[in-house]
Amino acid sequence: MALTVNVNYFNSFYLKRIYADGVAGSSAKGIPYVPEISSNGSESFEGARAHPAWSTPIASNTAYDWYIEESRIRGGYNNTTVDFGVKAYIVEDNDSQQHRKNSLIYSGIFNSRTGINDTNQFSVAESITRSVDPIGGSIQRLFAEDTNLTIFQERKVNVALIDKDAIFTAEGVGLTTTGRVVIGQITPVLGNWGIGTNPESFATYGYNKYFIDKDRNAVLKLQGSQIVEISNAGMMDFFRDQLSLLGTTGKALGSYDVYNQNYVISLQTTGRFNNGGYKTLTFDERNAGWTSFFTYRPETMFSCRGKFYSTKMGSTVSKLYTHYTNQDRNNFYGTKTSSSIQFVFNPQPNFIKTFKTINYEGSNGWEVSALISDSTGQNASVTPAGSWLSNFDQATNAAYTKIYSYDEGLYTEDNISYRAGFDRKQNKYYAVIPNNTATPMAGEVIWGNQTMGIKGYFATVTMKTDNTTNNGGLKSLFAVSSEFIQK
């Protein structure tokens, strides 16, 4: 009678041994050690010795380190068997390590539907590397957009085709065609700009890409195939000074604020996780200029689903903050500060003027914290050049160096209310600029608080919000003016 036996699985294995060559007493760097075998068969780790070379397997001694290796390719039944030894595609004659900082390489494909995963395969038999011009420095940032790959080097920006290639007609007209290569032709973008060593400055919104080239003191925008230097929008001197301070340790964080539609950068001279000097400011596409400075110093910034976020280290961990979520303005990371704005009065620039008043249209709660004319060149020890004392506080009979806001300047004398700073008429605020010069200048008969105004070709004015009027609320400033006379 015949008997049929169903064999569900059959395979073969190799039993292999690892031994430590020249290592005694311990398993240094993960190399298995060989313990001493005593006469009674017990193991002793104190006198561990290095096992000498062997010619035949020693299966009777279980104290040595053994392991099992599959002998058939992919473990399939009756598949091709492999022998002991190293499995490699080629023999590398020069096995020294190389750093190709200007090259890209891609692996095999990954297909989740079929289960094919070749992401760990980099076959040298295929053309899987692409290199950019090494003169442009190392590759710092990659950004994939549709079927194009933007490559940011230290001193150059390039665009590469993805899953397509370019051919040219006899007239030199470029055409694109589907290709088998993953990274196609690489084309440099016109202009000798790059992202330096600050890839963290990169941000994108829509078709625009923003980044910083600190070596050229420039903040840049890549729009299509053209690079625009947006740092020239009234801020060339500022970025020339600030970007040179970053050095090798400083960071230039960049992000796009989708809530306010602004590109935000934070220049941090000591890095993002250390306290130190910083400047955080924003660029507005609608105004084509830099519209505001901020008082917060973030570690990271990002936008998600219409909101803008930043992180800041707390006592033990970093905390996540959502911007524009409450009505308490000027409050970042639990610290409240005042808003300020600085501008220059310079009408009729060829004439010396005396600025008599300062006036503004806007919300209640603005004060003048500094008003300085251009230097007159006199001896600073006698009369400081361009200095001023803004008013005389009759309530305390003491000099002070600011023009009070409408509410803070209110005081009473002989049951009569006066304003030491701004006064209001028809929703416009006016203030006199008194002169409290401590020492008369040569030729002056009437001087100090008996006169008014500040003399000069121009005057630099700084206004800020006070700490009491509608604290944390909205304060607007629409227009500022000054009454002056020619001298």
Side-chain angles (χ1 to χ4, degrees):
M1 177 177 171
L3 177 65
T4 302
V5 178
N6 293 326
V7 179
N8 294 326
Y9 183 79
F10 173 81
N11 216 334
S12 57
F13 302 92
Y14 285 131
L15 191 64
K16 299 181 66 176
R17 180 184 65 177
I18 297 178
Y19 67 93
D21 187 7
V23 179
S26 65
S27 178
K29 297 182 180 180
I31 302 175
Y33 54 76
V34 181
E36 285 284 354
I37 308 301
S38 61
S39 58
N40 60 5
S42 63
E43 298 180 356
S44 173
F45 294 93
E46 295 181 358
R49 58 180 173 79
H51 194 280
W54 53 277
S55 57
T56 58
I58 305 176
S60 60
N61 193 340
T62 59
Y64 296 123
D65 191 8
W66 298 84
Y67 74 97
I68 297 175
E69 182 182 278
E70 172 65 62
S71 66
R72 297 184 182 274
I73 295 178
R74 303 188 66 178
Y77 170 71
N78 210 25
N79 281 0
T80 304
T81 60
V82 294
D83 201 350
F84 291 114
V86 177
K87 287 80 176 174
Y89 289 105
I90 62 173
V91 176
E92 180 65 49
D93 295 330
N94 183 11
D95 59 353
S96 61
Q97 188 179 40
Q98 296 181 2
H99 295 276
R100 300 179 62 178
K101 298 181 179 181
N102 65 312
S103 299
L104 302 172
I105 188 171
Y106 54 89
S107 67
I109 65 172
F110 170 75
N111 191 324
S112 59
R113 182 177 61 86
T114 60
I116 296 177
N117 185 359
D118 293 335
T119 56
N120 64 333
Q121 296 184 15
F122 298 86
S123 175
V124 296
E126 301 177 5
S127 178
I128 59 174
T129 60
R130 289 290 185 271
S131 297
V132 292
D133 192 346
I135 297 179
S138 62
I139 297 174
Q140 294 286 319
R141 176 84 189 209
L142 300 176
F143 179 74
E145 183 179 38
D146 297 330
T147 57
N148 290 326
L149 179 68
T150 306
I151 305 170
F152 293 89
Q153 295 178 259
E154 296 179 50
R155 296 177 291 276
K156 195 65 179 176
V157 180
N158 309 273
V159 176
L161 305 178
I162 301 177
D163 288 334
K164 60 183 179 182
D165 210 342
I167 59 176
F168 296 91
T169 64
E171 292 78 15
V173 179
L175 301 174
T176 58
T177 179
T178 303
R180 299 182 61 184
V181 295
V182 175
I183 303 177
Q185 181 178 350
I186 298 177
T187 304
V189 178
L190 295 178
N192 291 321
W193 285 294
I195 203 169
T197 55
N198 297 101
E200 69 279 356
S201 67
F202 176 81
T204 181
Y205 179 75
Y207 206 53
N208 296 331
K209 305 167 188 65
Y210 303 88
F211 57 100
I212 289 176
D213 188 345
K214 70 175 182 180
D215 294 331
R216 294 175 174 85
N217 300 326
V219 183
L220 306 165
K221 177 181 70 173
L222 176 60
Q223 188 173 22
S225 59
Q226 183 180 8
I227 296 180
V228 181
E229 193 173 0
I230 61 177
S231 55
N232 282 345
M235 297 287 283
M236 182 180 65
D237 292 344
F238 171 83
F239 285 110
R240 179 185 59 197
D241 298 335
Q242 296 299 320
L243 293 178
S244 61
L245 298 177
L246 293 181
T248 57
T249 59
K251 293 295 181 181
L253 304 184
S255 180
Y256 195 86
D257 179 359
V258 297
Y259 185 91
N260 244 6
Q261 300 291 296
N262 292 327
Y263 172 54
V264 184
I265 61 174
S266 182
L267 307 177
Q268 303 176 4
T269 56
T270 57
R272 68 173 73 184
F273 301 110
N274 301 313
N275 293 325
Y278 73 96
K279 297 289 184 181
T280 303
L281 62 160
T282 180
F283 178 81
D284 193 336
E285 283 285 354
R286 294 161 294 184
N287 298 316
W290 301 88
T291 56
S292 182
F293 285 90
F294 297 117
T295 58
Y296 64 92
R297 189 182 194 275
E299 294 175 357
T300 57
M301 301 180 291
F302 61 94
S303 293
C304 182
R305 304 190 68 175
K307 293 185 178 181
F308 184 62
Y309 301 89
S310 67
T311 62
K312 181 67 175 179
M313 175 63 71
S315 57
T316 56
V317 295
S318 291
K319 297 182 178 180
L320 179 66
Y321 293 86
T322 307
H323 295 239
Y324 315 113
T325 56
N326 56 54
Q327 297 300 318
D328 191 12
R329 291 169 168 80
N330 296 341
N331 192 344
F332 295 104
Y333 310 145
T335 302
K336 184 181 290 292
T337 55
S338 299
S339 292
S340 64
I341 183 172
Q342 187 177 89
F343 50 89
V344 176
F345 285 140
N346 192 22
Q348 301 181 11
N350 294 329
F351 297 94
I352 298 177
K353 299 162 287 289
T354 297
F355 298 95
K356 298 166 46 179
T357 65
I358 181 169
N359 323 302
Y360 79 88
E361 299 178 33
S363 303
N364 180 20
W366 288 92
E367 64 184 22
V368 177
S369 59
L371 201 159
I372 305 173
S373 64
D374 56 299
S375 176
T376 57
Q378 67 263 21
N379 190 345
S381 62
V382 178
T383 302
S387 67
W388 69 295
L389 294 175
S390 68
N391 230 314
F392 191 80
D393 189 347
Q394 300 182 37
T396 60
N397 198 30
Y400 58 90
T401 56
K402 72 176 182 179
I403 297 178
Y404 282 129
S405 64
Y406 179 76
D407 287 340
E408 288 190 346
L410 176 65
Y411 70 96
T412 302
E413 187 177 283
D414 297 331
N415 294 323
I416 301 176
S417 297
Y418 296 94
R419 301 281 177 179
F422 282 103
D423 201 355
R424 182 170 58 193
K425 182 179 181 181
Q426 297 178 348
N427 287 331
K428 188 173 182 178
Y429 296 86
Y430 302 84
V432 175
I433 305 176
N435 188 325
N436 270 15
T437 306
T439 305
M441 297 176 61
E444 284 189 322
V445 178
I446 301 176
W447 55 276
N449 58 10
Q450 301 178 45
T451 64
M452 62 182 295
I454 180 171
K455 183 183 296 186
Y457 284 98
F458 63 88
T460 303
V461 184
T462 302
M463 297 183 65
K464 72 180 189 68
T465 56
D466 62 23
N467 297 322
T468 57
T469 307
N470 189 20
N471 193 16
L474 174 64
K475 293 186 178 68
S476 57
L477 186 65
F478 302 114
V480 183
S481 60
S482 177
E483 182 182 351
F484 64 94
I485 58 174
Q486 292 184 13
K487 300 297 290 183

